[in-house]
Structures are given as structure tokens and as C-alpha cells.
Amino acid sequence: MEKYFITTPIYYPSDKLHIGHTYCTVATDALARYKRLQGCDVLFLTGTDEHGQKIEDKAREAGKTPQEFVDSIVSAPGGVLDLWKLMNISNDRFIRTTDSYHVKSIQLIFRKMYDNGDIYKGKYVGKYCKPCESFWTETQLKDGKCPDCGREVQDAEEEAYFFRLSKYADKIQDLLENTDFLEPRSRVHEMVNNFIKPGLEDLCVSRTSFTWGIPVDFDPKHVVYVWIDALANYITALGYGNDKYNDYDKGWWPGVNIVGKEIVRFHSIIWPAILMSLGEPLPKKVFGHGWLMLDGGKMSKSKGNVVDPYLLAEKFGVDALRFFLLRTFPFGSDGNFSNELLIQTINVDLANDLGNLLSRTVSMVGKYFDGQLPAEQRFQGEMDDELVAMVKGLRDRYEAQMEKFAIHNALAEIFKVIGRANKYIDENTPWVLAKDMEANGPRLACVMYNLLETLRVCAILLTPFIPTSSAEILRQIGASADGASCTWESAGQWAVLPKTVSVVRGENLFPRIDMDKALAELEEAAAQARKAALPALEVEPQTEEKVDFDTFCKSDFRAVKVKACENVKKSAKLLKFTLDDGTGADRQILSGIATYYKPEELVGKTLMAIVNLPPRKMMGLESNGMLISAVHTEQGEERLNLLMLDDKIPAGAKMC
Ligand code: MSP
């Protein structure tokens, strides 16, 4: 059996993952499932890339150790592992770069490259982009900023180890230009023109300014550059340099690395150079997919424009979400995410086209034949030929696209057939045939059989995308009882189901979604999520400007007792207080706190007021002073509490 090793990038657990990460993983999952369907022995690897300064900083901000912090995003409930479980990701292995076997392998790799002279000690002077964990030279900067993310860079100078990347420049240019190592082809030009032709410089591969990384074992004040640590996961997870696994030499390597476009540089230049230095085979392929954008920009937590996959999966179903991601956006290009597009894709492709084809077919077999087709069937030549020919060639057309990673085109091929099958129903008008079963029964049975066969082939080929729904379709059309009619081989054949196949009516797999209602609900959920993301409790920062003691002492704070309190007419905010301030005369103060207190709950309370402010008119009434309250913000909403004093304190007592 052919061995096939496929990987996603390993994700930074610096924040919760969003729909962009989900896109990348679901696409790789579909490719892995496709290869399994074809009969390959697949090893699908994903994981998390847990070291680096960004994680160290985030952990500090969260008041956690780096390990506690990454655990809270990777393995805690609702973390990365849970997300992949929810999305039905079929990875065979999950690597965390904090796993001890990986740490050991990285130390060995670093030492090997040091021993062979490809890593040497030098001094780093240049610029560093913290969010990207990337070093840049002056000339590589774009308008003085990081050429990858456009953010500010900082000066950096320190003793460091360097990797002789420059030594591999020609070999890598040759690899990129003269083989199909990197796809899509457009990315080759980008790499060669932007990075190789201007001159590949040696790469700084160790840091001393933070500690959250893998120590260089022969010089432990250095930690290994996070990209060496991360890239090598593709081989350490197979057992390269460790005893944890034993698969590296067993035909699994080289594999296929699926990555997002912004990390193609690391995967198509640095990664092959590391492997060349180690004398190991290069990956079979690096495929750089596009980004899922929101309002034309890349999603990112720091921009606050991320879409939550949990919410969408819960609302529309895991299969519908997986399908949408892969059907809508050409895999090698960027795509603009929107909720409208998501709902529209579900309604058109899944509810209308696929869902209707299934429910119409199964219910007609139920209605006209009591759920089981008769053996006597009449094929009618040209009425059937076009559909049958399309279905017969579908597997090969689909395979041709999948082999090119043109996932969206493979799906388009399936949906052309589904569209043709729906038209076939309209052309053959089964409900008219059913009016005279004696004359038309064999013809009607053949129409139904052709539809069931069409559904069978489509459901098999849809398995990598919508695994749960495909299994249910196959069950409803009577294919699953017999494993042989659900295989890759059988998807390339016609008339595999027995003539007397029985169907099973089932639930409606893809109910139509009410667009307006769903959009309103999503908007409400997004507003709630934005609110929940606000700091739980916030107080105004303290004033820097000092006030001198004498000025402060001029403020006359007194205890006051509330004799009466009422709402001010025509004002939603103001309360009018009649107060005993210890002078014997009533004092009137107006306070804008009616949204926080009901007047009756304040009568009899002892409060604090400043009494020597100049009188002020509000809504035609005079206010002599101000009641003192404490203000803070909770989940974005302002909270106010009057300062309530011990009732033992007499009216007029001076606060000092
Ligand atoms: N840790 C590195 C990868 C190391 S691999 C040896 C990293 N991690 S990441 O979490 O930032 O990104 C992981 C993957 O998610 C990347 O391939 C990236 O392109 C992808 N995506 C993140 N946001 C994305 C979109 N909005 N759209 C599509 N993919 C996106 O990079």
C-alpha cells in the first residue's frame, strides 16, 4: 500500500484559533481523507508550535507560566484539540513542540548542523519583527516596516548562531524553478524574485534575549530560533532523532506540506535548505494556499476581525461549514469570507441541489415502489445516456483536480453532475410515469435506479468533505449495507447497486436556512462575543498630574443624610436630593444617577458630598454640591455606586 504523509502547519497557540486556521486544517483533512479513500496508507500530522518570544510575552500578560499558557489554548476545553475534534479532523498524530521527544530531536539537529559547519557563531545586527518572530536586514524592510506583516520592527544586536543559508541559494533556486516542488506556480516567482535574486543571506538561528525555547545543548544561554524548531516538526513527529516514533525511515518521508501563503518563504527556502544540510530528502511538495479574508483584510486577533468556527459549526453543522470552506474559495487564492456567502452556499448547493436530489429520489422510491426497486427496468438510451456518461467519468475528472490540489474544482465537477441529475428528474417527470404503473413501471424503476447510482458515486466522492453526511446519504440509498458499493473502485463504475436495491428514508440532511433570521442571530452572537472579549473589570487610570495639598484641603467633603429623593420631571437621568448636611437648613443636590438607583432606595442613607462647589442649574433646578460615587467598567458597561457611609456618622461630619 502506498504510504502518504501529509501535514498542516503547526499552529501558534498565542490566541484561540479562528476560521482561517480551520480552513487550512479542513482542507488538509479533505486531502488526507481523499488519499485514504483511494486506498493509500495515510499519516496525517498536525500540531502546535509553542515556543518563542510572543508566547513568552502573552503568558506574562496572562499571569501564567508559558507552559500553563499554551496548555490553556491547546489542551484545555475549547482549545485546539477540541476544535479539531469538533471539525471531524482525522489527524493520525498531533505534535506539540514542547513534547520532550521533539526537544531532544531539535537539539540533535542543531548540533548536527553545527558539526557539519552549516551553523556558526556570529553577531546579529539588524531588525526584528516580534509578532512574526522574524529577523530582517535594513534592505529587506518595506517602508521601514516588516515586509511580511507591515508592522514596526525593532533594533536587535546580539551574539547568535547563524545558518549558512546563502550556501544553498543556487540549489534552492533550481529546485523552485525547475521542479514542481512548490505550488501554485505563482508562488515560485514571488520567492525567487523577492527573496533569492536579491541575495539570500545567512539566517540567524538562535536567540539570547528570551528563554522560552529549546536551549542549544552545547551553549544553553541560546535558544533555537523558533522556525527551525517548528519546521523540523515534520520529521521529528516521524521519529527523526528520537525514540518516540519509528516511522521516518519506513517510507513515510518525504511528505506533502500544506501551508498558508505567508509562510511559503519558510517552507520553500529555509526548510529545504535545512534538509539539504542534514542530507535528508526534501518534501514531495509544498502547497501554499490563500488566505480567508474578512472585508478584504487578513483575519487576525490583533485586528479584532476573526470569525469563530465554534459558532458557525454549532449553528450550521460541521459538514456544512467544512463544505462551504472548500467549495467556495479556490484553494490557491485568497477568498473573502462572509456570513451571506456561507448561508447562500448551504442553501444553493446543499439544501437545493444535493439535499433535494436525495430527498426526492428516496421519497419517490418509497412512494412508487414501497422502498424497493423491481428487477425489471427499462433503459431508454438517449434519455439516460448523458447522465450516465457524466457519472461514469466523474471519478477520473475529480481525481485529476484533487491531484492538482484544485479542491474547489473537484467539488465543482460533483455539483455539475448533481445539477444534471436534478434536470434529469424534470425531463423524465416520474410523477407522470407513475400515473400508469403497468405501462411505465419498468421505465420509472430505471429512472430511479439511475438517480440512486448518481447519488452513490457523488456521496463517495464527497466523503472527504462531508464525511458524516456522505455516510448518511449512502445509508439512505441502500449502499452502505454492502461495503463494496461505497469504495473508490466502485465510484469509477456504473450499475454497482443491485437492481432490487432498497432505500431507507431519513432525516432531511441540509434544511434550508432563513437568511435574514440567521444573519440577525449571527450579528447578535458576534456582539455578545465582542462584549465578552472586553476586559471583565476596568477602572480609569490614575491621574498623573499632582494637586498640591492646600488646594486639596479647600474641597469640603461632608457626610449628608438623604431626607427625600425624587426623579426630576422630563429627565431620564436626574434625581433631586433633599439632604440634611448638619447645618439645620436643607441642601438640594441634583445627581445624574437615575439609571442606577430608584429614589426610594436612597432615602435615609448617609452619603458623601462635596458642598463648596458653586451652585449649578440643571433642568431649571439649582444644585448645591455633588454626591460622590465610585465608577468602573464591567464588560464594557459603566457601573456606578454611591459612596455610602456608616449611618453612625452624623450629618455634617467633615471628611478629611
Ligand atoms: N507556527 C507557524 C507555522 C509553523 S509550520 C512549521 C504559523 N502558525 S499560525 O498559527 O500563525 O498559522 C498557521 C496556519 O494558519 C498558516 O498556514 C496560516 O497561513 C494559516 N492561517 C492563519 N490565518 C489564516 C487565514 N485567515 N486564512 C487562511 N489561512 C490562515 O504560521
Side-chain angles (χ1 to χ4, degrees), residues 8-12 17-18 20-21 23-24 49 227 230-231 233-234 258-263 267 289-293 298-299:
T8 69
I10 48 172
Y11 298 85
Y12 282 127
L17 300 191
H18 56 66
H21 304 110
Y23 173 59
C24 181
D49 174 9
W227 271 102
L231 287 162
N233 93 87
Y234 302 129
I258 306 291
V259 305
K261 66 175 187 180
E262 84 284 19
I263 57 174
H267 284 82
H289 66 75
W291 282 346
L292 219 56
M293 327 264 269
K298 189 181 180 227
M299 281 178 210

Coordinates of all heavy atoms in Angstrom, one line a residue, residues 8-12 17-18 20-21 23-24 49 227 230-231 233-234 258-263 267 289-293 298-299, ligand 1:
T8 N -0.3 19.7 8.1 CA -0.7 21.2 8.1 C 0.4 21.9 8.8 O 1.3 21.2 9.4 CB -2.0 21.4 9.0 OG1 -1.6 21.2 10.4 CG2 -3.1 20.5 8.7
P9 N 0.4 23.2 8.7 CA 1.4 23.9 9.6 C 1.1 23.6 11.0 O -0.1 23.3 11.3 CB 1.2 25.4 9.3 CG 0.3 25.4 8.1 CD -0.4 24.2 8.0
I10 N 2.0 23.8 11.9 CA 1.7 23.7 13.3 C 1.4 25.1 13.8 O 2.0 26.0 13.5 CB 2.8 23.0 14.1 CG1 4.2 23.5 13.8 CG2 2.8 21.5 13.9 CD1 5.3 23.0 14.8
Y11 N 0.2 25.2 14.5 CA -0.4 26.5 14.8 C 0.3 27.1 16.1 O 0.6 26.4 17.1 CB -1.9 26.3 15.0 CG -2.5 25.8 13.8 CD1 -2.5 24.5 13.5 CD2 -3.0 26.7 12.8 CE1 -3.1 24.0 12.3 CE2 -3.5 26.2 11.6 CZ -3.6 24.9 11.4 OH -4.1 24.4 10.2
Y12 N 0.4 28.5 16.0 CA 0.8 29.2 17.2 C -0.3 29.2 18.2 O -1.4 29.8 17.9 CB 1.1 30.7 16.9 CG 2.4 30.9 16.2 CD1 2.5 31.6 15.0 CD2 3.6 30.4 16.8 CE1 3.7 31.8 14.3 CE2 4.8 30.6 16.1 CZ 4.8 31.3 14.9 OH 6.0 31.5 14.3
L17 N -7.9 29.7 18.0 CA -7.8 29.6 16.6 C -9.1 30.1 15.9 O -10.2 30.0 16.6 CB -7.6 28.1 16.1 CG -6.3 27.5 16.6 CD1 -6.1 26.2 15.9 CD2 -5.1 28.4 16.5
H18 N -9.0 30.6 14.7 CA -10.2 31.2 14.1 C -10.5 30.4 12.8 O -9.9 29.4 12.4 CB -10.1 32.7 13.8 CG -8.8 33.1 13.1 ND1 -8.6 32.7 11.8 CD2 -7.7 33.8 13.5 CE1 -7.5 33.2 11.4 NE2 -6.9 33.8 12.4
G20 N -9.8 31.0 9.7 CA -8.7 30.9 8.8 C -7.9 29.7 9.1 O -7.5 29.0 8.2
H21 N -7.6 29.5 10.4 CA -6.8 28.3 10.7 C -7.7 27.0 10.4 O -7.1 26.0 9.9 CB -6.5 28.2 12.2 CG -5.8 29.4 12.7 ND1 -6.3 30.4 13.5 CD2 -4.5 29.8 12.5 CE1 -5.4 31.3 13.8 NE2 -4.3 31.0 13.2
Y23 N -9.8 26.6 8.1 CA -9.8 26.5 6.6 C -8.6 25.6 6.2 O -8.7 24.6 5.5 CB -9.7 27.8 6.0 CG -9.5 27.9 4.5 CD1 -10.4 27.3 3.6 CD2 -8.4 28.5 3.9 CE1 -10.2 27.3 2.3 CE2 -8.2 28.6 2.5 CZ -9.1 27.9 1.7 OH -8.9 28.0 0.4
C24 N -7.4 26.0 6.7 CA -6.2 25.3 6.4 C -6.3 23.8 6.8 O -5.9 22.9 6.1 CB -5.1 26.0 7.1 SG -3.5 25.4 6.9
D49 N 2.9 24.9 17.6 CA 4.2 25.5 17.6 C 4.3 26.4 18.8 O 3.8 27.5 18.8 CB 4.3 26.3 16.2 CG 5.5 27.1 16.1 OD1 6.5 26.9 16.9 OD2 5.6 27.8 15.1
W227 N 11.7 29.1 14.1 CA 11.3 28.5 12.8 C 12.1 27.2 12.6 O 11.5 26.3 11.9 CB 11.5 29.5 11.7 CG 10.2 30.3 11.5 CD1 9.9 31.5 11.9 CD2 9.0 29.8 10.9 NE1 8.7 31.9 11.6 CE2 8.1 30.8 10.9 CE3 8.6 28.6 10.3 CZ2 6.8 30.7 10.4 CZ3 7.3 28.5 9.8 CH2 6.4 29.5 9.8
A230 N 10.2 24.8 14.6 CA 8.9 24.5 14.1 C 8.9 23.6 12.8 O 8.3 22.6 12.7 CB 8.1 25.8 13.8
L231 N 9.8 24.0 11.9 CA 9.8 23.3 10.6 C 10.2 21.9 10.7 O 9.7 21.0 10.1 CB 10.8 24.0 9.6 CG 10.3 25.4 9.1 CD1 11.5 26.2 8.5 CD2 9.3 25.2 8.0
N233 N 9.4 19.9 12.8 CA 8.4 19.0 13.4 C 8.0 18.0 12.4 O 7.5 16.9 12.8 CB 7.2 19.9 13.8 CG 6.1 20.0 12.8 OD1 5.2 19.1 12.7 ND2 6.2 21.0 12.0
Y234 N 8.0 18.3 11.1 CA 7.6 17.4 10.1 C 8.4 16.1 10.1 O 7.9 15.1 9.6 CB 7.6 18.0 8.7 CG 6.8 19.3 8.6 CD1 7.4 20.5 8.0 CD2 5.5 19.4 8.9 CE1 6.7 21.6 7.9 CE2 4.8 20.5 8.8 CZ 5.4 21.7 8.3 OH 4.6 22.8 8.2
I258 N 1.3 21.2 3.4 CA 0.3 22.2 3.0 C 0.4 23.4 4.0 O 0.4 23.3 5.2 CB -1.2 21.7 3.2 CG1 -1.3 20.4 2.5 CG2 -2.2 22.7 2.8 CD1 -1.3 20.4 1.0
V259 N 0.6 24.6 3.4 CA 0.9 25.8 4.3 C 0.1 27.0 3.7 O -0.2 27.1 2.5 CB 2.4 26.1 4.4 CG1 3.1 24.9 4.8 CG2 2.9 26.6 3.0
G260 N -0.1 28.0 4.6 CA -0.6 29.3 4.1 C 0.4 30.1 3.4 O 1.6 29.9 3.6
K261 N 0.0 31.1 2.6 CA 0.9 31.8 1.7 C 2.0 32.6 2.4 O 3.1 32.7 1.9 CB 0.1 32.6 0.7 CG -0.6 33.8 1.3 CD -1.2 34.7 0.2 CE -1.8 35.9 0.9 NZ -2.4 36.8 -0.1
E262 N 1.7 33.1 3.6 CA 2.7 33.9 4.2 C 3.8 33.1 4.8 O 4.9 33.7 5.2 CB 2.0 34.8 5.3 CG 1.8 34.2 6.7 CD 0.7 33.2 6.8 OE1 0.2 32.7 5.7 OE2 0.2 33.0 7.9
I263 N 3.7 31.8 4.9 CA 4.8 31.0 5.4 C 5.4 30.1 4.3 O 6.2 29.2 4.6 CB 4.4 30.2 6.7 CG1 3.2 29.3 6.4 CG2 4.0 31.2 7.8 CD1 2.9 28.4 7.6
H267 N 8.9 27.6 4.2 CA 8.8 26.2 3.7 C 9.5 25.9 2.4 O 9.8 24.8 2.1 CB 7.3 25.8 3.6 CG 6.7 25.6 5.0 ND1 6.2 26.6 5.8 CD2 6.5 24.4 5.7 CE1 5.7 26.1 6.9 NE2 5.9 24.8 6.9
H289 N -1.5 27.7 0.1 CA -2.9 28.1 -0.1 C -3.1 29.6 0.2 O -2.2 30.2 0.8 CB -3.9 27.2 0.6 CG -3.8 27.4 2.1 ND1 -4.3 28.5 2.8 CD2 -3.2 26.6 3.1 CE1 -4.1 28.3 4.1 NE2 -3.4 27.2 4.3
G290 N -4.2 30.1 -0.2 CA -4.5 31.5 0.0 C -5.1 31.8 1.4 O -5.3 30.9 2.2
W291 N -5.4 33.0 1.6 CA -6.0 33.4 2.9 C -7.5 33.6 2.8 O -8.0 34.0 1.8 CB -5.5 34.8 3.3 CG -4.1 34.8 3.9 CD1 -3.4 33.7 4.3 CD2 -3.3 36.0 4.0 NE1 -2.2 34.1 4.7 CE2 -2.1 35.5 4.6 CE3 -3.4 37.3 3.8 CZ2 -1.0 36.3 4.9 CZ3 -2.4 38.2 4.1 CH2 -1.2 37.7 4.6
L292 N -8.1 33.3 3.9 CA -9.5 33.7 4.1 C -9.5 35.1 4.7 O -8.9 35.3 5.7 CB -10.1 32.7 5.1 CG -11.5 32.2 4.8 CD1 -11.6 31.6 3.5 CD2 -11.9 31.2 5.9
M293 N -10.1 36.0 3.9 CA -10.1 37.4 4.4 C -11.5 37.8 4.9 O -12.5 37.2 4.6 CB -9.8 38.3 3.2 CG -8.8 37.7 2.2 SD -7.2 38.2 2.5 CE -7.1 39.7 1.5
K298 N -6.7 40.3 6.0 CA -6.4 39.0 6.6 C -7.1 39.1 8.0 O -7.0 40.1 8.7 CB -5.0 38.8 6.7 CG -4.7 37.3 7.2 CD -3.3 37.0 7.3 CE -3.1 35.5 7.8 NZ -2.2 35.3 8.9
M299 N -7.7 37.9 8.4 CA -8.2 37.9 9.8 C -7.1 37.8 10.7 O -6.1 37.0 10.5 CB -9.0 36.6 9.9 CG -10.3 36.6 9.4 SD -11.1 35.1 9.6 CE -12.2 35.1 8.2
Ligands
MSP1 N1 3.5 28.4 13.6 C1 3.6 28.8 12.3 C2 3.6 27.6 11.3 C3 4.8 26.7 11.6 S1 4.8 25.4 10.5 C4 6.3 24.7 10.6 C5 2.3 29.6 11.9 N2 1.3 29.4 12.7 S2 -0.1 30.2 12.6 O1 -1.0 29.7 13.6 O2 0.1 31.6 12.6 O3 -0.7 29.8 11.2 C6 -1.0 28.5 10.9 C7 -1.6 28.4 9.5 O4 -2.9 29.0 9.5 C8 -0.8 29.1 8.4 O5 -0.7 28.3 7.3 C9 -1.6 30.3 8.1 O6 -1.5 30.7 6.7 C10 -3.0 29.8 8.3 N3 -3.9 30.8 8.5 C11 -4.0 31.8 9.5 N4 -4.9 32.7 9.2 C12 -5.4 32.4 8.0 C13 -6.4 32.9 7.2 N5 -7.1 34.0 7.6 N6 -6.7 32.3 6.1 C14 -6.1 31.1 5.7 N7 -5.2 30.6 6.4 C15 -4.7 31.3 7.5 O7 2.3 30.3 10.9

